[in-house]
Amino acid sequence: MYKLILEKTAYTPAQLSGIDIPQIALAGRSNVGKSSLINTLGGSKKLARTSSSPGKTRSINFYMVQPSGFSLVDLPGYGYAKCSKTEREKWSRLIEAYIQDNFQLKAVVHLLDSRLEPQALDLELSHYVQSLNIPILPVLTKSDKCKQKQLTAISRTWSKILGLNCPPVVFSAKTGAGRDKLWELIIESATP
Ligand SMILES: Nc1nc2c(ncn2[C@@H]2O[C@H](COP(=O)(O)OP(=O)(O)OP(=O)(O)O)[C@@H](O)[C@H]2O)c(=O)[nH]1
Ligand SMILES: [Mg+2]
């Protein structure tokens, strides 16, 4: 069992300097379940703050995985329409500054809502990450809210879009489904 410890919080690109251990980042639309997934992986509801209203996480949060020695990184969500354009631009600049030229970023866990058809911003992010040659670990979130048939269909859709060899991880923060599988893939990606 790995332990997660909040190690650093960055609100601006300048605050990102000086992090030189391997990292696995969690990206996805606002409200898709990134912070809940951190809590499920860490086995505690108190690690990352979650909210039913989108736009909760506004900083980049680094969680040290012990005893492994790499970080899981919770990113602010994209596509949150209700905040100001200036604020949205600030977040996307922060996310880009984080991803671009980060040689320690070993993979991006891309969270996708299992109830929704692929959204334009999801496709944009996956193309961006792929264009940088960073591996993507796709995860279908909130699977407890879906019927098996729907899960199979959306899983196939994303496999085709991303050209995957193995299907996305079907995950639920509510039931813990997919937790062990995701840990396995994260450890495999983060440790050489
Ligand atoms: N039923 C169900 N609800 C979930 C699951 N994961 C997250 N939620 C709910 O979805 C809402 C958003 O979850 P968060 O984890 O805060 O989402 P986020 O991606 O961190 O959102 P931002 O920080 O705004 O980008 C909360 O009300 C969670 O309780 C899940 O697996 N099942
Ligand atoms: Mg969050």
Side-chain angles (χ1 to χ4, degrees):
M1 173 75 190
Y2 297 97
K3 210 169 155 187
L4 297 185
I5 295 159
L6 180 62
E7 208 194 6
K8 186 183 167 97
T9 293
Y11 289 90
T12 63
Q15 290 169 345
L16 291 168
S17 64
I19 304 149
D20 57 1
I21 59 169
Q23 293 145 49
I24 305 285
L26 307 178
R29 282 155 46 87
S30 195
N31 208 241
V32 72
K34 297 174 295 298
S35 299
S36 303
L37 181 140
I38 288 271
N39 289 341
T40 303
L41 290 179
S44 160
K45 288 213 161 78
K46 291 185 188 152
L47 279 164
R49 268 184 279 168
T50 64
S51 167
S52 55
S53 47
K56 184 66 185 174
T57 309
R58 297 181 172 222
S59 51
I60 297 188
N61 297 301
F62 294 80
Y63 294 85
M64 172 72 104
V65 179
Q66 285 186 339
S68 242
F70 67 92
S71 278
L72 272 184
V73 184
D74 190 10
L75 300 178
Y78 49 84
Y80 175 40
K82 277 193 192 141
C83 67
S84 71
K85 192 165 172 249
T86 325
E87 191 144 27
R88 259 182 294 166
E89 280 169 1
K90 194 176 120 198
W91 289 349
S92 53
R93 267 203 308 277
L94 181 63
I95 294 172
E96 252 184 63
Y98 170 72
I99 295 181
Q100 204 105 45
D101 303 324
N102 184 346
F103 297 109
Q104 291 283 31
L105 182 57
K106 304 300 179 193
V108 169
V109 178
H110 193 182
L111 283 76
L112 306 157
D113 194 316
S114 55
R115 300 167 300 176
L116 303 179
E117 287 303 312
Q119 307 283 297
L121 287 170
D122 294 331
L123 296 169
E124 218 173 274
L125 182 89
S126 60
H127 291 150
Y128 174 60
V129 174
Q130 281 178 326
S131 75
L132 298 172
N133 284 322
I134 300 168
I136 295 182
L137 300 174
V139 169
L140 295 172
T141 63
K142 308 192 184 184
S143 66
D144 56 282
K145 295 195 175 202
C146 269
K147 296 238 160 60
Q148 185 54 49
K149 209 171 147 189
Q150 212 177 341
L151 289 171
T152 310
I154 191 71
S155 181
R156 280 212 190 108
T157 302
W158 276 112
S159 294
K160 254 193 219 151
I161 290 173
L162 299 173
L164 304 173
N165 298 322
C166 58
V169 176
V170 174
F171 188 88
S172 166
K174 199 171 172 188
T175 67
R179 179 181 183 273
D180 294 348
K181 181 69 196 167
L182 184 57
W183 259 131
E184 206 178 283
L185 294 172
I186 287 174
I187 298 288
E188 214 176 87
S189 303
T191 52

